[in-house]
Amino acid sequence: MRKFLYLASVLLLALGLKAATPVDDSIVMAEKQYSKFVDSVKQSEKWESGLIHLSGGKADINVPAGFKFLNAAQSKYILTDLWGNPPSVSDDILGMIFPANADAFDSTSYAFVVRYENIGYVKDYDASKINYDDLLKDIQKEEVAANTERVKNGYQPIHMMGWAQSPFYDKENKVLHWAREIKFGEDTPHTLNYEIRILGRDGVLSMNAICTMNELPLVKADIDKVLQMAKFTSGNAYKDFDPKIDKVAAYTIGGLIAGKVLAKVGFFALLVKFGAAFWKFILLGFIAVGGFIRKLFTGKKEKNSKEIPAIEEAEKQEAEKQEDEQLESDIQGHEMKDPGQQESENQEPGKLDSEK
């Protein structure tokens, strides 16, 4: 899908210079189809707020005013189909948290992806002993192998530029958070992954903000409110650990930050986000090129409406109607499906590489 859409946009640039007039009508239609696509996505979203019991019963999210929550099925659609992440990143997703005035097509905001990682009880004795500069160097050394796998699977190589927020561990509340500045290929601006890990009895509740570095001030302004949203349910908090029956995690605090706990926590599955402007460019390019090629092969000629005689007006309207129906078919594959269908069909996402 990524390559297909990329070629469509290239064709638009190549053909549009020589055939501006034929493409113009398709662009107008593409604008309408894009708006319809966005509206269909937004209308299908079921936002929640207040106290939300997360699937699995390990933790609850209390979403206050100024934020909104999207359930697991709808979040999977956004992460994979809209934003082009690998399917593996949504395997254990519980939902997503957005600012109240933002949505999946907002290119100037962030979204926190919520999941539970059942890795066991994470010991925190090493939190005050970690040299985070050395840890950063170790992570960067491991990029080579991870990037080989990413490229093999059709994704851009990535590079951790540095800490956007140095790791901090709140020992009293058992909350770890840090932020990484990530470069995907040659893309700019760089991606921000702001990570929160709340330690529990047999795993960690993970909240990962995805956006660009431009939104770092916004995330920092809201981070205290986000940190207070999640609470473990009775019997599942860190203090409830029973060494006689509970499993201890293979990694400590340093391992969580380095991303070695699970493959999906590491570099191979860093989350990315596409902005509305990027999606619009791709969709408009695809439809416009499709319209131009159709006209090229059918020999349909473009006419200025002021020059069309009255006797040809009916013919023109009929032709436009047929073209409208065909363009409707072009965009059909991009229409948002019912979340239930998404979950059952497990479609392969469009593996686009752009960050935002």
Side-chain angles (χ1 to χ4, degrees), residues 95-152:
M96 296 177 73
I97 299 170
F98 287 78
N101 60 352
D103 57 44
F105 293 94
D106 194 332
S107 59
T108 60
S109 189
Y110 64 83
F112 271 95
V113 177
V114 183
R115 58 163 54 88
Y116 186 78
E117 298 166 7
N118 189 22
I119 59 174
Y121 177 84
V122 178
K123 293 185 177 182
D124 62 355
Y125 64 87
D126 65 333
S128 61
K129 306 175 183 178
I130 301 173
N131 183 317
Y132 293 115
D133 290 334
D134 290 343
L135 182 59
L136 173 62
K137 294 177 182 178
D138 291 339
I139 294 173
Q140 291 173 332
K141 288 179 181 178
E142 295 177 1
E143 291 176 4
V144 177
N147 281 330
T148 299
E149 188 68 15
R150 284 185 61 86
V151 173
K152 177 181 177 181

Side-chain angles (χ1 to χ4, degrees), residues 11-30 284-285 287-293 295 302 323:
L11 280 172
L12 172 63
L13 295 175
L15 298 176
L17 295 176
K18 297 183 179 181
T21 301
V23 172
D24 288 344
D25 284 351
S26 293
I27 288 291
V28 172
M29 289 305 305
L284 296 187
I287 296 173
V289 170
F292 171 73
I293 292 177
K295 293 177 182 179
E302 295 295 322
E323 182 182 58

Side-chain angles (χ1 to χ4, degrees), residues 86-217:
S88 60
V89 304
S90 62
D91 286 348
D92 52 5
I93 190 172
L94 299 176
M96 296 177 73
I97 299 170
F98 287 78
N101 60 352
D103 57 44
F105 293 94
D106 194 332
S107 59
T108 60
S109 189
Y110 64 83
F112 271 95
V113 177
V114 183
R115 58 163 54 88
Y116 186 78
E117 298 166 7
N118 189 22
I119 59 174
Y121 177 84
V122 178
K123 293 185 177 182
D124 62 355
Y125 64 87
D126 65 333
S128 61
K129 306 175 183 178
I130 301 173
N131 183 317
Y132 293 115
D133 290 334
D134 290 343
L135 182 59
L136 173 62
K137 294 177 182 178
D138 291 339
I139 294 173
Q140 291 173 332
K141 288 179 181 178
E142 295 177 1
E143 291 176 4
V144 177
N147 281 330
T148 299
E149 188 68 15
R150 284 185 61 86
V151 173
K152 177 181 177 181
N153 285 275
Y155 297 91
Q156 292 190 85
I158 59 180
H159 174 60
M160 182 170 172
M161 305 298 291
W163 302 119
Q165 173 67 50
S166 184
F168 174 78
Y169 180 60
D170 180 347
K171 188 174 182 64
E172 180 179 354
N173 295 305
K174 307 303 178 184
V175 177
L176 171 69
H177 58 103
W178 73 97
R180 295 177 286 188
E181 179 181 352
I182 309 295
K183 179 182 179 181
F184 280 72
E186 298 301 321
D187 292 346
T188 56
H190 296 161
T191 290
L192 170 69
N193 267 206
Y194 201 114
E195 312 268 2
I196 298 174
R197 299 290 185 272
I198 305 175
L199 277 58
R201 175 179 179 174
D202 60 5
V204 296
L205 187 67
S206 166
M207 295 192 288
N208 179 14
I210 44 178
C211 53
T212 71
M213 286 298 297
N214 294 339
E215 284 73 62
L216 179 59

Side-chain angles (χ1 to χ4, degrees), residues 313-329:
E313 187 63 28
E315 180 182 351
K316 177 195 172 190
Q317 291 179 356
E318 179 63 23
E320 290 178 341
K321 180 181 178 181
Q322 294 177 1
E323 182 182 58
D324 195 6
E325 292 174 349
Q326 182 60 48
L327 289 169
E328 183 84 20
S329 175

Side-chain angles (χ1 to χ4, degrees), residues 276-318:
F278 176 80
W279 260 107
K280 190 169 185 177
F281 171 76
I282 291 295
L283 288 175
L284 296 187
F286 168 68
I287 296 173
V289 170
F292 171 73
I293 292 177
R294 261 198 316 281
K295 293 177 182 179
L296 185 65
F297 282 93
T298 59
K300 187 180 297 183
K301 297 181 179 179
E302 295 295 322
K303 300 180 181 180
N304 187 312
S305 60
K306 295 181 180 180
E307 298 175 352
I308 298 177
I311 59 175
E312 295 181 359
E313 187 63 28
E315 180 182 351
K316 177 195 172 190
Q317 291 179 356
E318 179 63 23

Side-chain angles (χ1 to χ4, degrees), residues 73 337-345:
K337 294 187 176 182
D338 180 81
Q341 292 178 330
Q342 282 296 136
E343 195 165 16
S344 63
E345 292 178 10

Side-chain angles (χ1 to χ4, degrees), residues 76 80 84-92 155 346-349 351:
K76 287 180 180 180
T80 58
N85 287 280
S88 60
V89 304
S90 62
D91 286 348
D92 52 5
Y155 297 91
N346 192 24
Q347 282 189 329
E348 178 72 11
K351 299 176 182 176

